[in-house]
Amino acid sequence: MQTDDPLRHSDAVTPEPPRPSEPTDSATDDADRLLYTPAAAAERLTVGESWLRRKAGQRIIPCTFVGKHLRFSDEDLRAIVAAGSRGPRLRNQAPSRPGRRRRARR
């Protein structure tokens, strides 16, 4: 018994799988475009939200404004971490900030 199914013929050509025109990595693209609220950014950086808002308001740390809304991109968070990194202090180096002055007892 012969069927009209083209897949049953031995001379049938198997179709090639579809090829993407460009490699798409939409999950990575979406993650790179994500903006964090101050609360979410503070949680990721493990700092207080008020500290983050204050420093952003003073323009001390990088941030993004969407209209009047404060947001932080992944790049902003990386820059904040990089700016805050400090190398090890050597024994002979003076402390980076002076010690507390003590009052003399009378």
Side-chain angles (χ1 to χ4, degrees):
M1 179 170 192
Q2 190 175 7
T3 61
D4 290 355
D5 188 4
L7 296 178
R8 295 231 181 234
H9 296 290
S10 61
D11 59 326
V13 178
T14 56
E16 292 183 24
R19 291 182 293 181
S21 58
E22 291 182 14
T24 58
D25 194 7
S26 61
T28 305
D29 293 342
D30 292 342
D32 289 342
R33 293 186 196 135
L34 184 63
L35 294 176
Y36 298 98
T37 62
E43 186 177 327
R44 284 185 61 101
L45 294 172
T46 62
V47 298
E49 182 181 350
S50 61
W51 178 89
L52 199 62
R53 284 182 178 277
R54 185 172 55 253
K55 298 294 181 181
Q58 296 170 348
R59 304 301 193 267
I60 295 173
I61 59 174
C63 60
T64 303
F65 282 94
V66 179
K68 65 178 183 174
H69 302 284
L70 177 62
R71 297 291 183 263
F72 296 91
S73 66
D74 282 327
E75 186 177 314
D76 293 337
L77 298 182
R78 280 189 214 103
I80 293 167
V81 171
S85 69
R86 303 282 186 265
R89 191 177 75 148
L90 302 176
R91 284 183 184 241
N92 298 337
Q93 282 182 329
S96 59
R97 78 179 200 205
R100 187 173 153 192
R101 272 184 103 169
R102 297 181 186 203
R103 294 171 78 180
R105 290 189 175 181
R106 294 181 194 225

